Amino acid sequence: MGKLIITAAITGSRITREITPHIPITPEEIVQSAVECWEAGAAVVHIHVRDPETGLGTQSLEIFQQVVEPLQEKTDLILCLTTSGIPGRNLPIEERLAPLELKPELASFDAGSINLGQSVFINSPEFLESAAKKMKDIGVKPELEIFDLGMIVTCLRLKNEGKLEEPFHFQFVLGTPWGAPATPESLLHLHRHIPKKSTWSVIGIGKGHLPMSMMALIMGGHIRVGMEDNIYYTRGVLAKTNAQFVERIVRIAGEYGRGVATPDEARRKMNLNKKMWNNKDTLNVI
Ligand code: ZN
C-alpha cells in the first residue's frame, strides 16, 4: 500500500468566528495555518479565501494571490484552489473560475448539483464543461468532488466526451446532510465505480471525519482533514488549529505502518507536473 496523502482544508467559505473562534479568515491567518499543516505532514492544502467585508468566501483573484504567493515562497505544498465560491450562492461561472488564473496544480471540480441547507449548490452542465475546458487548457488537474454516485457517472461521461482526462483524482465528500452518508457501505459503493488507475481521497463531514479517514487508511485511499469539513477535534471540543487534525492522522498512520507522502511524493502519485518554483535549492523554508 502506498504512502498516505493528507490534504488540509483550511477554512472553506461559510464558517464564521461565531461558529468557532479558531477559524482562519484573513490571508495571513490562512497562510499561517497552511504552513503549520505542511510542517505537520500535509502534502496538499485546499484553499478558499474570505471577503474582508462579509467574512464569507470570495473568488477574488487578488485575495487568492495574497495566500498563494506566500505559500509558494515558504513551502512546497500542492495548492488546490476552490472553484465553488460560496456553495448555494451560485456565483457566475467566470467568477468561480477566476482563481485558475494563478495556475494551481489542483482545483476543485464539484461534479454535479446538490441541495445544501435550504439552497441548491448548482454545478450545471455548462459550469462543468467550462471548468473542464479551462482546467485542461491551462494544465490544472481537477480534483473531482463526489457527493453521490451520479457525480462519478458524470465524470466518466465527460471523459468519454474528451472533456476530462485520466488519471482522475477523486475527493469523496461523505456525510453532508443531503448527500451520500459517511458510512463504510457508502464509501465502498462509490469506490467500486471509479476507474482502477484513479487516486482518491475522502472527506467525512463532522462526525464522519474519523470513521472515513480510517476507511481510507486501510483501503489505500487518501485523507482530507480540516476546519472546512469538521470544526470539532473530539465530541464537543473545538479544534484550535488545523494542524491538530493533520498531526492526529500522521500519528494514526504511523502506528498503522503507512507512511505519509511528502508533497513531491504526492505529485508523483497524482501525476502532477512539478512546478518551476518548487525548487528545494531556492526554497525559503520557515
Ligand atoms: Zn472547499
Side-chain angles (χ1 to χ4, degrees):
M1 192 174 291
K3 286 189 173 179
L4 174 70
I5 301 169
I6 302 175
T7 297
I10 305 295
T11 184
S13 59
R14 286 176 168 274
I15 294 167
T16 61
R17 282 267 151 76
E18 286 72 46
I19 299 172
T20 171
H22 308 299
I23 189 84
I25 300 278
T26 66
E28 294 75 23
E29 290 166 351
I30 293 168
V31 169
Q32 176 64 28
S33 182
V35 169
E36 289 168 9
C37 289
W38 171 66
E39 288 170 338
V44 185
V45 283
H46 172 68
I47 300 289
H48 289 248
V49 294
R50 303 297 190 99
D51 184 322
E53 302 278 302
T54 64
L56 297 175
T58 171
Q59 294 300 95
S60 157
L61 188 59
E62 198 186 334
I63 303 177
F64 268 98
Q65 259 167 333
Q66 292 169 22
V67 171
V68 166
E69 287 173 3
L71 287 179
Q72 289 177 337
E73 279 167 25
K74 294 175 180 179
T75 77
D76 64 346
L77 278 163
I78 297 166
L79 304 184
C80 175
L81 303 187
T82 187
T83 62
S84 67
I86 306 181
R89 295 224 176 155
N90 302 311
L91 302 175
I93 292 175
E94 278 312 304
E95 198 175 334
R96 285 181 59 178
L97 300 182
L100 297 178
E101 296 299 326
L102 299 174
K103 298 189 170 61
E105 290 177 272
L106 285 172
S108 61
F109 182 96
D110 294 285
S113 302
I114 184 169
N115 290 340
L116 279 177
Q118 294 307 307
S119 51
V120 186
F121 180 24
I122 298 174
N123 292 290
S124 64
E126 185 191 5
F127 171 75
L128 297 180
E129 292 189 10
S130 303
K133 182 169 187 329
K134 191 155 184 180
M135 291 189 202
K136 195 172 174 181
D137 287 350
I138 60 180
V140 175
K141 181 161 180 158
E143 180 176 85
L144 307 171
E145 291 200 353
I146 303 297
F147 293 70
D148 66 35
L149 184 56
M151 296 191 191
I152 297 177
V153 174
T154 298
C155 293
L156 297 175
R157 181 193 182 107
L158 290 170
K159 182 197 76 173
N160 291 340
E161 293 171 356
K163 293 165 184 161
L164 287 177
E165 288 174 342
E166 290 193 86
F168 287 154
H169 179 62
F170 289 97
Q171 187 70 264
F172 299 126
V173 188
L174 303 184
T176 66
W178 304 85
T183 60
E185 293 82 357
S186 177
L187 178 58
L188 290 168
H189 185 61
L190 294 172
H191 179 251
R192 211 170 288 139
H193 288 82
I194 64 173
K196 288 272 177 294
K197 57 186 162 181
S198 311
T199 49
W200 63 275
S201 173
V202 67
I203 300 167
I205 301 292
K207 64 182 173 19
H209 166 55
L210 276 176
M212 291 301 97
S213 298
M214 298 307 96
M215 288 291 292
L217 186 65
I218 62 173
M219 289 170 68
H222 304 286
I223 298 173
R224 181 168 119 174
V225 305
M227 291 191 203
E228 176 170 348
D229 310 324
N230 175 31
I231 59 171
Y232 291 102
Y233 188 74
T234 55
R235 194 182 176 88
V237 179
L238 290 170
K240 289 208 167 61
T241 66
N242 280 298
Q244 276 182 281
F245 290 115
V246 178
E247 288 161 1
R248 174 164 61 187
I249 294 297
V250 169
R251 280 198 305 275
I252 295 171
E255 288 293 320
Y256 182 72
R258 191 164 169 207
V260 171
T262 64
D264 278 348
E265 288 168 340
R267 285 184 175 91
R268 281 194 287 278
K269 281 176 182 294
M270 290 192 282
N271 210 24
L272 297 172
N273 297 320
K274 197 173 173 186
K275 290 203 160 185
M276 291 305 290
W277 56 263
N278 181 30
N279 180 339
K280 288 259 181 339
D281 297 330
T282 58
L283 265 184
N284 174 25
V285 178
I286 61 165

